[in-house]
Amino acid sequence: MELIFTVLTLFPKQISDFMETSIVGRATKKGLLDIRCVDIRDHADNDHGKVDDTLYGGGKGMLLACEPVYRAWNSVLSGGDVKPHTVYLSPKGKVLNQDKVIELSQHKHLVLLCGHYEGIDQRVLDSVVDEEISIGDYVLTGGEVAACVVIDAVSRMIPGVLPDASAYENESHMHGTLESPHYTKPDEWNGIEVPEVLRNGHHAEIEKWRRLEGLYLTYKNRKDLFEKLELTPDEWAYIIQREGQKPREMPEI
Ligand code: ADE
């Protein structure tokens, strides 16, 4: 087994529906992934399955209490394997990116803790969580969709999960830039032609075009990533030509 995910959740069906489908489902069947769910409610410390309570200090909503979360997490440890890496999905965490995805894929066992309501009592988070991760600057109704995003992105880094390992070598975010646009047949559609270089160019020209178009797309869509790049004069010249003007942020070169 390459990688085990254990999801601690109040809504295991949301996870199980996801893991039965798509490439992740296939990788599970192939034995490359093992995705398990632990229902936090099964670990309630009362007969009614109550796992939440009101906030100390006032405030709207409910909070997941320490004990059910701690018991659920402990039930994973009793499997006897090395201490798994525990991630809490929350909008307050560090925002996920491809570097973090690659880092997570190096672990043998990831425990993904999903919050609901107003979140989880901080004391149990401080006791069990290794890192808190957000999938973006917006708020979801719970951590389950975020856990599925993490499982999907991390799984495709595991050898054998993608049909062709080289599929992700040049894709967006692998080298700090976005990927160039892609085209398939026919040559012309609705009067719009596939760029000439892709049809008639040589391998080196095509590679160069892809790199420059990827840079240009990064410039257009992701200024935050673009600012981290160091462009050569030729690359700046390409951006000037594509923009039809000198970009304001262009340094003196
Ligand atoms: N739970 C609620 N919102 C979230 C987000 N943006 N990322 C991860 N978990 C969340």
Side-chain angles (χ1 to χ4, degrees), residues 6-27:
T6 303
V7 187
L8 310 183
T9 170
L10 286 173
F11 298 93
K13 192 162 172 345
Q14 251 188 296
I15 307 293
S16 55
D17 282 351
F18 161 76
M19 67 201 213
E20 277 156 25
T21 53
S22 79
I23 290 183
V24 168
R26 212 171 53 209

Side-chain angles (χ1 to χ4, degrees), residues 3 5 27 48 53 61 67 85 99 108 117 136 170 182 194 240:
L3 180 52
F5 294 96
H48 326 288
D53 222 318
E67 194 55 22
H85 186 73
D99 286 345
K108 285 268 153 250
Y117 319 118
N170 287 317
H182 295 305
V194 172
I240 293 168

Side-chain angles (χ1 to χ4, degrees), residues 1-235:
M1 182 57 53
E2 295 283 348
L3 180 52
I4 304 169
F5 294 96
T6 303
V7 187
L8 310 183
T9 170
L10 286 173
F11 298 93
K13 192 162 172 345
Q14 251 188 296
I15 307 293
S16 55
D17 282 351
F18 161 76
M19 67 201 213
E20 277 156 25
T21 53
S22 79
I23 290 183
V24 168
R26 212 171 53 209
T28 307
K29 287 197 192 88
K30 277 179 26 189
L32 296 170
L33 307 173
D34 181 359
I35 308 175
R36 308 168 183 172
C37 286
V38 173
D39 190 339
I40 296 173
R41 210 175 291 282
D42 290 344
H43 296 272
D45 55 350
N46 55 76
D47 294 337
H48 326 288
K50 183 174 158 56
V51 290
D52 58 345
D53 222 318
T54 52
L55 272 76
Y56 271 113
K60 281 204 205 97
M62 303 290 269
L63 208 63
L64 270 176
C66 287
E67 194 55 22
V69 173
Y70 190 63
R71 289 183 183 194
W73 182 77
N74 247 322
S75 76
V76 180
L77 295 193
S78 55
D81 58 354
V82 251
K83 187 180 166 292
H85 186 73
T86 303
V87 174
Y88 173 44
L89 284 320
S90 132
K92 293 196 271 186
K94 288 202 183 131
V95 178
L96 186 67
N97 61 22
Q98 192 64 29
D99 286 345
K100 176 56 75 180
V101 165
I102 293 169
E103 194 185 307
L104 291 176
S105 73
Q106 319 289 320
H107 291 278
K108 285 268 153 250
H109 187 170
L110 291 173
V111 172
L112 305 177
L113 172 59
C114 303
H116 256 272
Y117 319 118
E118 283 308 303
I120 301 180
D121 189 306
Q122 190 62 39
R123 291 167 296 179
V124 71
L125 295 177
D126 291 342
S127 307
V128 309
V129 170
D130 294 304
E131 60 180 328
E132 193 163 335
I133 289 180
S134 162
I135 61 159
D137 291 338
Y138 39 80
V139 182
L140 304 165
T141 53
E144 284 72 14
V145 171
C148 291
V149 167
V150 170
I151 292 171
D152 190 287
V154 171
S155 297
R156 61 197 292 290
M157 291 295 113
I158 304 297
V161 170
L162 286 187
D164 178 5
S166 64
Y168 51 71
E169 272 167 17
N170 287 317
E171 71 187 3
S172 292
H173 301 295
M174 281 309 259
H175 305 293
T177 63
L178 305 180
E179 206 179 355
S180 68
H182 295 305
Y183 303 87
T184 185
K185 293 186 180 59
D187 281 12
E188 188 198 311
W189 174 81
N190 260 3
I192 312 168
E193 288 195 344
V194 172
E196 171 75 15
V197 58
L198 296 180
R199 288 181 288 150
N200 301 319
H202 303 294
H203 185 68
E205 284 169 37
I206 293 172
E207 281 311 301
K208 185 175 170 204
W209 181 88
R210 286 190 168 148
R211 192 174 47 76
L212 290 171
E213 279 294 303
L215 274 180
Y216 181 59
L217 202 61
T218 313
Y219 169 74
K220 288 299 264 185
N221 288 353
R222 293 294 303 272
K223 290 280 190 306
D224 56 325
L225 298 179
F226 187 79
E227 275 163 15
K228 294 187 192 141
L229 304 171
E230 283 199 13
L231 269 62
T232 64
D234 280 358
E235 289 166 343

